[in-house]
Amino acid sequence: MNAFRLLRHLGLLLALAPVSAFAGTARIYVTNSAGDSIHVIDPATNKVVQEIRDIEGAHGIAFSPDGSRVYVSDEVSSTLDVFDRKTGKLVKKVTLSAHPNNIAVAKDGRIVVGIARDPGALDIIEPTNLTLTKSVPVNGRLHNVYVTPDSKYAVTGSIRTGIITVIDLATEQPAWELKLDKGIRPMAIEAGPDGATKRIFVQLSDFNGFSVIDFAARKEVARIGLPTAKGEFETDGDRATAPSHGIGVAPDGKTLWVTSIPNNAVYAYSLADLTLSGEVALPSLKLREHGAISAVANWVTFTPDSKTVYVSNAGLRSVSAIDTKSMKLIAVIPVGEVPKRINTLVIPDGPGSAAISAEKRASLH
């Protein structure tokens, strides 16, 4: 069996394995978009335990299925930068078709990269030789890309065109599109009981809330605005076009967490009926002759047990750790300049075990 087929087989085993089989060590990775490093947090202590340096344009971050590699989209060099997880050393820079944005990894190890330049494309990198094998044209430059829990599709979104494109990963061709009336920002994907994609939750330009997409019906079925802010917070004017810019489904499949920059808060919704179940205020910066300044909440990720959610504070050089049961802020962890993309890696105990990201772990429930 060649390496690529082995990775595909491993991905299938991960999909069928019980969640209890994935006890191990978790690490929270955050890219510092205006710095030159990536910080790695140990959720057991909420301390930084590793720093990957000398990457000036780090943006999206994901991991190989076996946990040996860290993949980062590099906006400065228009490459996919591959790092050894243990040493933090650069392994290879894979040249992309154009300037990248977010990335994701399929269960068979293929890396998909959203290209943020017109006319728009999804680059696909083969994991064994780390080479770009295909660039799939899409309608509009891409802001984000995700892989569905069953790894059958890549889901992409364009701010400029307001189009969600779903790409079949078996054929590496677009399967269907959905156009909304606003630009497509971050998304989160919910799996049904059979592991197939059930709904996509989509944040939109100029909207403090999220849209709900029925995946099978291929249509928007709801649009939910976040609560009115409890106070006023100063923020960078450029953030006004993306007031809600971070969203995630908890690994236990019970809650949806949504950030708000103007509200300086994160909200929890029951996934069953999308009713609001909690709100957590985020830290703010207080300066003389200024009102409270927003943390500029961005992306979210979770510990594998869903007990803690982490939010990158792009305006405060930090990451917030929140206890999901008590809805309390339990730590604010200093990181680098303008932290944004954030992801969880689970490194299972025992030789030969495979690692999974928070997104893939969520798909196992």
Side-chain angles (χ1 to χ4, degrees):
M1 184 181 292
N2 65 31
F4 187 70
R5 288 182 179 176
L6 180 61
L7 285 171
R8 188 186 296 273
H9 179 66
L10 180 58
L12 177 61
L13 292 178
L14 284 171
L16 298 176
V19 173
S20 59
F22 294 100
T25 302
R27 291 288 184 266
I28 311 298
Y29 283 71
V30 57
T31 61
N32 301 303
S33 64
D36 61 355
S37 65
I38 297 162
H39 281 78
V40 185
I41 298 165
D42 181 352
T45 62
N46 284 324
K47 303 289 185 184
V48 172
V49 294
Q50 185 185 19
E51 189 173 355
I52 299 173
R53 290 190 163 275
D54 301 322
I55 176 166
E56 186 177 350
H59 197 96
I61 188 162
F63 317 101
S64 61
D66 65 359
S68 65
R69 296 168 174 169
V70 178
Y71 300 125
V72 184
S73 52
D74 189 328
E75 294 188 286
V76 170
S77 58
S78 293
T79 55
L80 178 76
D81 294 356
V82 183
F83 295 89
D84 180 89
R85 176 186 59 81
K86 291 182 179 179
T87 66
K89 300 295 185 182
L90 181 68
V91 174
K92 186 174 182 179
K93 293 173 82 75
V94 182
T95 301
L96 301 170
S97 64
H99 182 91
N101 200 286
N102 197 22
I103 66 176
V105 177
K107 289 174 182 174
D108 63 12
R110 281 178 293 173
I111 308 104
V112 293
V113 184
I115 298 302
R117 289 290 181 268
D118 282 326
L122 181 76
D123 280 4
I124 301 176
I125 289 89
E126 191 274 327
T128 305
N129 299 316
L130 292 172
T131 54
L132 174 63
T133 58
K134 191 161 188 176
S135 193
V136 183
V138 296
N139 196 339
R141 58 181 180 265
L142 296 181
H143 184 59
N144 286 302
V145 58
Y146 306 84
V147 171
T148 58
D150 56 12
S151 263
K152 289 184 177 180
Y153 301 96
V155 180
T156 70
S158 173
I159 294 174
R160 184 180 63 80
T161 63
I163 291 176
I164 297 169
T165 303
V166 177
I167 295 166
D168 188 319
L169 287 176
T171 63
E172 297 185 343
Q173 294 293 330
W176 53 275
E177 291 181 346
L178 177 65
K179 182 172 175 56
L180 300 182
D181 61 333
K182 296 180 181 291
I184 309 302
R185 300 286 183 163
M187 294 182 266
I189 300 174
E190 175 193 19
D194 60 353
T197 301
K198 181 179 179 182
R199 293 181 291 186
I200 306 174
F201 305 103
V202 184
Q203 291 172 305
L204 304 167
S205 296
D206 306 306
F207 182 62
N208 197 23
F210 59 95
S211 169
V212 183
I213 307 299
D214 184 301
F215 191 82
R218 303 181 181 182
K219 67 179 183 179
E220 182 179 32
V221 293
R223 191 169 292 191
I224 298 173
L226 298 179
T228 302
K230 294 181 177 179
E232 292 187 4
F233 297 88
E234 293 185 20
T235 187
D236 185 342
D238 291 341
R239 305 288 182 179
T241 59
S244 188
H245 198 273
I247 190 166
V249 173
D252 62 10
K254 295 180 180 179
T255 51
L256 175 73
W257 290 75
V258 188
T259 65
S260 171
I261 294 172
N263 296 17
N264 201 42
V266 59
Y267 299 90
Y269 287 82
S270 167
L271 206 57
D273 55 9
L274 293 180
T275 56
L276 184 66
S277 57
E279 174 183 350
V280 182
L282 294 171
S284 61
L285 180 64
K286 297 177 177 64
L287 300 175
R288 296 176 66 179
E289 301 181 1
H290 280 270
I293 298 173
S294 172
V296 188
N298 262 253
W299 288 69
V300 302
T301 194
F302 304 86
T303 50
D305 57 13
S306 298
K307 291 182 178 180
T308 310
V309 58
Y310 290 84
V311 180
S312 54
N313 303 320
L316 295 185
R317 303 178 186 166
S318 64
V319 171
S320 291
I322 297 165
D323 183 282
T324 58
K325 184 176 181 180
S326 67
M327 301 279 180
K328 299 292 185 183
L329 181 70
I330 56 175
V332 179
I333 306 148
V335 288
E337 295 289 338
V338 193
K340 288 186 179 179
R341 307 286 181 163
I342 190 168
N343 204 352
T344 303
L345 173 65
V346 182
I347 311 162
D349 296 329
S353 297
I356 52 174
S357 67
E359 291 86 349
K360 289 181 180 177
R361 189 177 184 89
S363 74
L364 300 177
H365 292 265

